Short mmCIF file of all heavy atoms in Angstrom, two decimals:
data_model
loop_
_atom_site.label_atom_id
_atom_site.label_comp_id
_atom_site.label_asym_id
_atom_site.label_seq_id
_atom_site.Cartn_x
_atom_site.Cartn_y
_atom_site.Cartn_z
N ALA A 116 70.40 110.29 101.96
CA ALA A 116 71.15 111.40 102.49
C ALA A 116 72.57 111.46 101.77
O ALA A 116 73.09 112.70 101.50
CB ALA A 116 71.46 111.23 104.04
N HIS A 117 73.22 110.36 101.37
CA HIS A 117 74.54 110.48 100.94
C HIS A 117 74.81 110.02 99.50
O HIS A 117 75.80 110.33 98.82
CB HIS A 117 75.46 109.59 101.89
CG HIS A 117 75.31 110.12 103.27
ND1 HIS A 117 75.83 111.30 103.73
CD2 HIS A 117 74.82 109.46 104.42
CE1 HIS A 117 75.50 111.49 105.05
NE2 HIS A 117 75.03 110.33 105.44
N LEU A 118 73.91 109.12 98.93
CA LEU A 118 74.00 108.74 97.59
C LEU A 118 73.14 109.48 96.58
O LEU A 118 73.68 109.83 95.49
CB LEU A 118 73.75 107.27 97.42
CG LEU A 118 74.51 106.21 98.35
CD1 LEU A 118 74.15 104.74 97.95
CD2 LEU A 118 76.02 106.38 98.04
N ALA A 119 72.09 109.86 96.99
CA ALA A 119 71.11 110.62 96.20
C ALA A 119 71.76 111.95 95.57
O ALA A 119 71.66 112.25 94.49
CB ALA A 119 69.83 110.94 96.88
N PRO A 120 72.61 112.62 96.51
CA PRO A 120 73.18 113.85 95.96
C PRO A 120 74.09 113.68 94.83
O PRO A 120 74.35 114.53 93.98
CB PRO A 120 73.93 114.45 97.17
CG PRO A 120 73.08 114.04 98.33
CD PRO A 120 72.69 112.57 97.97
N LEU A 121 74.79 112.41 94.73
CA LEU A 121 75.66 112.12 93.66
C LEU A 121 74.99 112.22 92.31
O LEU A 121 75.54 112.49 91.30
CB LEU A 121 76.29 110.73 93.81
CG LEU A 121 77.15 110.60 95.07
CD1 LEU A 121 77.68 109.12 95.09
CD2 LEU A 121 78.30 111.50 95.10
N LEU A 122 73.58 111.89 92.31
CA LEU A 122 72.88 111.76 91.09
C LEU A 122 72.60 113.22 90.54
O LEU A 122 72.23 113.26 89.35
CB LEU A 122 71.55 111.12 91.26
CG LEU A 122 71.62 109.67 91.78
CD1 LEU A 122 70.21 109.17 92.07
CD2 LEU A 122 72.46 108.75 90.98
N GLU A 123 72.75 114.23 91.35
CA GLU A 123 72.59 115.60 90.91
C GLU A 123 73.75 116.16 90.20
O GLU A 123 73.77 117.27 89.73
CB GLU A 123 72.15 116.37 92.05
CG GLU A 123 70.90 115.93 92.77
CD GLU A 123 70.66 116.69 94.16
OE1 GLU A 123 71.33 117.56 94.43
OE2 GLU A 123 69.61 116.30 94.77
N ARG A 124 74.82 115.38 90.23
CA ARG A 124 76.13 115.97 89.53
C ARG A 124 76.28 115.13 88.26
O ARG A 124 75.91 113.95 88.17
CB ARG A 124 77.18 115.71 90.48
CG ARG A 124 77.05 116.34 91.86
CD ARG A 124 78.01 115.84 92.91
NE ARG A 124 77.71 116.31 94.20
CZ ARG A 124 78.34 115.83 95.41
NH1 ARG A 124 79.18 114.90 95.32
NH2 ARG A 124 77.90 116.34 96.49
N SER A 125 76.94 115.69 87.33
CA SER A 125 77.23 114.98 86.09
C SER A 125 78.15 113.82 86.34
O SER A 125 79.09 113.97 87.22
CB SER A 125 77.94 115.94 85.09
OG SER A 125 79.15 116.44 85.64
N GLY A 126 77.88 112.74 85.74
CA GLY A 126 78.77 111.57 85.79
C GLY A 126 78.13 110.35 86.44
O GLY A 126 78.44 109.19 86.27
N CYS A 127 77.14 110.58 87.39
CA CYS A 127 76.49 109.47 88.15
C CYS A 127 75.18 109.20 87.65
O CYS A 127 74.31 110.08 87.57
CB CYS A 127 76.39 109.86 89.62
SG CYS A 127 75.90 108.39 90.69
N LEU A 128 75.11 107.90 87.09
CA LEU A 128 73.75 107.45 86.51
C LEU A 128 72.89 106.84 87.50
O LEU A 128 71.61 107.03 87.45
CB LEU A 128 74.04 106.46 85.36
CG LEU A 128 74.86 107.00 84.23
CD1 LEU A 128 75.07 105.96 83.16
CD2 LEU A 128 74.13 108.18 83.50
N ALA A 129 73.41 106.05 88.46
CA ALA A 129 72.62 105.29 89.40
C ALA A 129 73.50 104.98 90.59
O ALA A 129 74.72 104.93 90.55
CB ALA A 129 72.12 104.04 88.75
N ALA A 130 72.75 104.77 91.73
CA ALA A 130 73.47 104.41 92.96
C ALA A 130 72.59 103.53 93.75
O ALA A 130 71.28 103.76 93.86
CB ALA A 130 73.76 105.70 93.80
N GLY A 131 73.08 102.44 94.39
CA GLY A 131 72.22 101.54 95.15
C GLY A 131 72.98 101.16 96.43
O GLY A 131 74.21 100.96 96.50
N LEU A 132 72.20 101.04 97.52
CA LEU A 132 72.72 100.48 98.79
C LEU A 132 71.96 99.26 99.28
O LEU A 132 70.67 99.34 99.27
CB LEU A 132 72.67 101.58 99.89
CG LEU A 132 72.96 101.23 101.25
CD1 LEU A 132 74.41 100.71 101.35
CD2 LEU A 132 72.80 102.43 102.24
N SER A 133 72.52 98.14 99.52
CA SER A 133 71.84 97.01 100.02
C SER A 133 72.54 96.45 101.22
O SER A 133 73.67 96.56 101.42
CB SER A 133 71.75 95.98 98.94
OG SER A 133 73.05 95.41 98.65
N VAL A 134 71.72 95.80 102.09
CA VAL A 134 72.21 95.03 103.27
C VAL A 134 71.39 93.77 103.32
O VAL A 134 70.18 93.81 103.48
CB VAL A 134 72.13 95.83 104.54
CG1 VAL A 134 72.67 94.95 105.70
CG2 VAL A 134 72.86 97.17 104.49
N GLY A 135 72.08 92.69 103.22
CA GLY A 135 71.40 91.40 103.32
C GLY A 135 70.34 91.15 102.32
O GLY A 135 69.29 90.60 102.67
N GLY A 136 70.42 91.78 101.16
CA GLY A 136 69.36 91.53 100.14
C GLY A 136 68.25 92.60 100.07
O GLY A 136 67.56 92.76 99.08
N ASP A 137 68.15 93.43 101.09
CA ASP A 137 67.26 94.55 101.11
C ASP A 137 67.93 95.80 100.55
O ASP A 137 69.06 96.13 100.99
CB ASP A 137 66.65 94.92 102.46
CG ASP A 137 65.83 93.76 103.01
OD1 ASP A 137 65.31 92.96 102.24
OD2 ASP A 137 65.67 93.74 104.30
N MET A 138 67.29 96.53 99.59
CA MET A 138 68.03 97.63 98.86
C MET A 138 67.20 98.76 98.48
O MET A 138 66.02 98.61 98.24
CB MET A 138 68.57 97.01 97.58
CG MET A 138 67.64 96.29 96.60
SD MET A 138 68.37 95.26 95.37
CE MET A 138 68.88 93.82 96.36
N GLN A 139 67.93 99.91 98.54
CA GLN A 139 67.31 101.12 98.03
C GLN A 139 68.02 101.44 96.75
O GLN A 139 69.30 101.53 96.79
CB GLN A 139 67.46 102.26 99.06
CG GLN A 139 66.70 103.56 98.75
CD GLN A 139 65.22 103.41 98.84
OE1 GLN A 139 64.72 103.02 99.82
NE2 GLN A 139 64.52 103.93 97.80
N LEU A 140 67.33 101.64 95.67
CA LEU A 140 67.94 101.74 94.39
C LEU A 140 67.59 103.23 93.74
O LEU A 140 66.31 103.56 93.67
CB LEU A 140 67.56 100.68 93.42
CG LEU A 140 67.73 99.30 93.92
CD1 LEU A 140 67.10 98.30 93.02
CD2 LEU A 140 69.21 98.98 94.02
#
Side-chain angles (χ1 to χ4, degrees):
H117 304 294
L118 299 184
L121 297 178
L122 304 178
E123 300 172 2
R124 308 164 187 167
S125 61
C127 189
L128 300 178
L132 173 61
S133 67
V134 180
D137 293 341
M138 57 195 73
Q139 187 74 48
L140 305 172

